[in-house]
Amino acid sequence: MAIKAGLGTPESPAYFYDAPVLFAAVRYDVAGVLMLGYAAWVTDRWRPRGREEWALVAVGAVFLIAGYHALLFVGERGTTSAAAAVIVSLSPVLTTAFARAFLPEERLSVLGIVGMVLGLVGVAVLSRPDPSNLVGSRFEALVFGAALCFAFGSVLARRLETDLPIETMEAWSMVGGAALMHALSVGLEESVSGLPPLEATLALVYLAVVASAAGFLVYFDLLDRLGPIEINLVSYVAPVFAALAGFLFLDEVIDAPTVAGFLVILAGFALVKRRAIREELAARR
């Protein structure tokens, strides 16, 4: 919802519509500066050392920040939110494929795979995309490229195990990713004029502070704990919160198919995390 507030649509373009990569770059300028200060405050190592640590930062900057967000922001201009939600929800499937090649220990059981497919079905039920908007468009292809970047980057980040603090890795990945996107924005000859209106400013602040600085701090911590396959299941939950946000702020209706989508996604999660749920229930008893 925040990305759409800054970009708009072809029918109703917003402030950053003609500069989507610049929008993503400025988002991570702010988030990167915040995280550098936070890393300097809470860790004893605010700068990476050695080849492996800089390689980890490079993976984060190129794939998780620059590649993912540049492709996503450009793709979001010309596709529906429903279509984008389904395409991005392919991330766990793509992650599983990459993990089989690079992380043999990161594999799901048959029931886990069924749960993952259920989650994808739930997203489709919830979003109800137009099939014609899922294929054949360069915008949908760009969103798919974003999902591909994120899945590949998360697997590589898991493979490159180092002692670099999460806060430091996140901060330098954001700074590097922002620099790459600024260079791409210049190459695309993007520009904006004047100061952004209040709606675009609020969207930028939310994306930089909440979704990026705080959100990626949680993401990288859970990536280290759970691995790339399980953590990328977050893309199944995103449409749920998008629907709730639309209901609260945009007067969008939560109807029967939306509730059905919620329940199917919940069933998928229950299958994937069945052991953890069983252990938690046993502990509570």
Side-chain angles (χ1 to χ4, degrees):
M1 188 178 68
I3 293 173
K4 282 292 186 184
L7 293 176
T9 64
E11 296 77 22
S12 180
Y15 180 77
F16 284 104
Y17 180 76
D18 290 323
V21 179
L22 178 62
F23 185 22
V26 174
R27 166 185 178 177
Y28 282 99
D29 287 336
V30 177
V33 169
L34 288 175
M35 284 308 302
L36 274 177
Y38 183 71
W41 180 39
V42 301
T43 74
D44 56 358
R45 257 198 322 131
W46 67 275
R47 189 174 63 182
R49 302 171 187 163
R51 183 185 304 173
E52 287 191 358
E53 291 185 355
W54 281 110
L56 179 59
V57 167
V59 167
V62 173
F63 293 104
L64 300 179
I65 304 298
Y68 175 71
H69 291 91
L71 292 169
L72 178 64
F73 275 50
V74 175
E76 282 259 5
R77 292 192 312 167
T79 188
T80 64
S81 297
V86 173
I87 295 168
V88 170
S89 293
L90 291 172
S91 182
V93 179
L94 297 170
T95 302
T96 302
F98 286 129
R100 293 186 75 87
F102 295 100
L103 299 170
E105 72 279 4
E106 294 280 348
R107 292 186 178 180
L108 290 175
S109 65
V110 173
L111 278 178
I113 292 172
V114 171
M116 189 167 60
V117 172
L118 270 179
L120 182 60
V121 171
V123 172
V125 171
L126 188 155
S127 302
R128 282 161 287 168
D130 178 359
S132 65
N133 275 330
L134 286 178
V135 294
S137 166
R138 68 183 187 278
F139 292 108
E140 282 75 37
L142 289 170
V143 176
F144 179 75
L148 203 63
C149 271
F150 204 84
F152 186 60
S154 62
V155 169
L156 282 186
R158 174 73 167 187
R159 185 178 176 90
L160 294 169
E161 293 187 0
T162 71
D163 295 326
L164 184 66
I166 291 172
E167 298 83 357
T168 304
M169 182 267 182
E170 178 183 342
W172 284 94
S173 294
M174 288 179 172
V175 171
L180 290 172
M181 287 188 287
H182 275 296
L184 179 58
S185 177
V186 171
L188 294 173
E189 298 182 348
E190 293 183 343
S191 65
V192 292
S193 59
L195 295 175
L198 179 61
E199 186 179 59
T201 302
L202 291 176
L204 181 60
V205 170
Y206 170 81
L207 288 169
V209 177
V210 181
S212 299
F216 267 97
L217 193 62
V218 174
Y219 176 83
F220 284 122
D221 180 60
L222 291 177
L223 177 63
D224 186 56
R225 295 191 201 183
L226 300 176
I229 294 176
E230 288 195 23
I231 187 56
N232 280 346
L233 290 172
V234 70
S235 60
Y236 288 165
V237 186
V240 175
F241 283 91
L244 292 174
F247 172 75
L248 293 172
F249 299 107
L250 300 178
D251 297 323
E252 295 178 349
V253 176
I254 294 181
D255 52 14
T258 303
V259 175
F262 289 172
L263 294 176
V264 175
I265 291 171
L266 179 61
F269 270 104
L271 279 176
V272 174
K273 297 295 294 181
R274 63 194 182 282
R275 293 189 182 90
I277 293 171
R278 186 165 59 242
E279 290 171 3
E280 182 67 20
L281 291 175
R284 289 182 180 275
R285 286 198 297 269

